[in-house]
Amino acid sequence: MRVLVVEDDPTLLVQLGAALGNAGYAVDEAADGRDGLHLGLTEPYDAIVLDLGLPVLDGLTVLQRWRQQGRTTPVLILTARDGWHEKVAGIDAGADDYLTKPFHTEELLARLRALVRRSHGLASPLLRCGDVTLDTRAGTVTLAGATVSLTAHEYRLLAYLMHRAGQVVSRSELVEHLYAQDFDRDSNTIEVFVGRLRRKLGAERIETVRGLGYRLVPPEAHPATR
Ligand code: CA
């Protein structure tokens, strides 16, 4: 999952970037409204954290422009402590959730997880595909009840596929959602990570759909086990 953080407080921006990175997100950052507007219009984020008080272009205007141009990315706004009117204006402008500063990182992470899963039509923080279970809260994966040890990159890839279980996901979509903008993107690395996940979970679980991409399938749906 890839997120954008638009925040002009440099300390908070660094803290948020680190916390989101540790939580397994690829993170892009913008320190003013103009850069944030541009990134939000051009990159396919899974969620955006948007401060409202921003230089150059305020957060509310940024949000309105994203929505006017049809961007449906889930947006969580950061508001001032007593800014109830900001919350109302933000939600009316198309925000999906808000947090009042100062906030606990854990709460931000929980709200983001909820926004991302709801945008995929999922209600539970536990994602299941056959006997593979991914706990988005703990960042853990089990196979038939046994813990599977995954690297951060493997987890990130599996989490994306689990959110899209049963659907074909192209390699370019995976690259766009798994790596930050400044990351040296090479779609061949996706193939490498898919290979590692297959070794750990069973080769049949990630189907290659020729010319289109990959599909995570429950074991019973695969031709080899029918
Ligand atoms: Ca601010």
Side-chain angles (χ1 to χ4, degrees):
M1 296 296 163
R2 184 173 165 205
V3 297
L4 170 66
V5 180
V6 191
E7 168 61 65
D8 62 316
D9 176 338
T11 309
L12 187 54
L13 187 58
V14 167
Q15 281 172 2
L16 285 174
L20 289 163
N22 287 337
Y25 294 96
V27 186
D28 285 351
E29 297 172 356
D32 67 51
R34 187 183 50 202
D35 287 352
L37 174 67
H38 173 73
L39 285 171
L41 285 178
T42 52
E43 299 292 325
Y45 296 106
D46 295 290
I48 297 175
V49 177
L50 175 68
D51 184 31
L52 289 186
L54 289 171
V56 188
L57 200 60
D58 70 277
L60 203 58
T61 304
V62 171
L63 177 57
Q64 283 164 341
R65 299 225 182 133
W66 285 335
R67 295 313 189 217
Q68 278 161 7
Q69 306 218 19
R71 304 298 282 194
T72 56
T73 315
V75 173
L76 183 151
I77 53 173
L78 302 177
T79 69
R81 190 201 302 261
D82 297 319
W84 66 266
H85 49 284
E86 276 187 352
K87 290 172 201 160
V88 173
I91 290 165
D92 279 344
D96 300 275
D97 201 357
Y98 67 85
L99 261 181
T100 304
K101 290 180 179 180
F103 52 84
H104 290 281
T105 306
E106 285 306 316
E107 183 175 0
L108 176 85
L109 294 175
R111 288 178 181 276
L112 277 183
R113 284 194 294 272
L115 287 182
V116 169
R117 66 177 185 254
R118 266 189 257 133
S119 72
H120 289 275
L122 301 166
S124 167
L126 280 179
L127 308 181
R128 291 195 177 87
C129 184
D131 53 2
V132 177
T133 302
L134 184 142
D135 187 335
T136 58
R137 297 161 300 186
T140 54
V141 173
T142 59
L143 173 61
T147 300
V148 182
S149 170
L150 298 180
T151 64
H153 272 91
E154 290 162 3
Y155 175 83
R156 204 182 274 189
L157 172 59
L158 182 64
Y160 194 80
L161 291 172
M162 293 284 282
H163 278 87
R164 302 277 318 267
Q167 299 167 357
V168 179
V169 183
S170 72
R171 263 208 268 178
S172 61
E173 177 179 343
L174 287 169
V175 169
E176 284 190 321
H177 286 268
L178 299 182
Y179 299 115
Q181 200 188 29
D182 55 3
F183 195 86
D184 180 22
R185 296 162 170 208
D186 174 0
S187 68
N188 289 324
T189 58
I190 296 288
E191 212 164 81
V192 172
F193 288 121
V194 166
R196 290 186 194 164
L197 281 180
R198 282 178 171 149
R199 278 196 289 283
K200 293 184 177 181
L201 299 174
E204 73 287 354
R205 297 185 194 262
I206 303 175
E207 187 184 7
T208 299
V209 183
R210 198 185 297 203
L212 294 176
Y214 301 103
R215 178 163 52 198
L216 189 71
V217 287
E220 62 271 20
H222 194 272
T225 53
R226 243 175 231 160

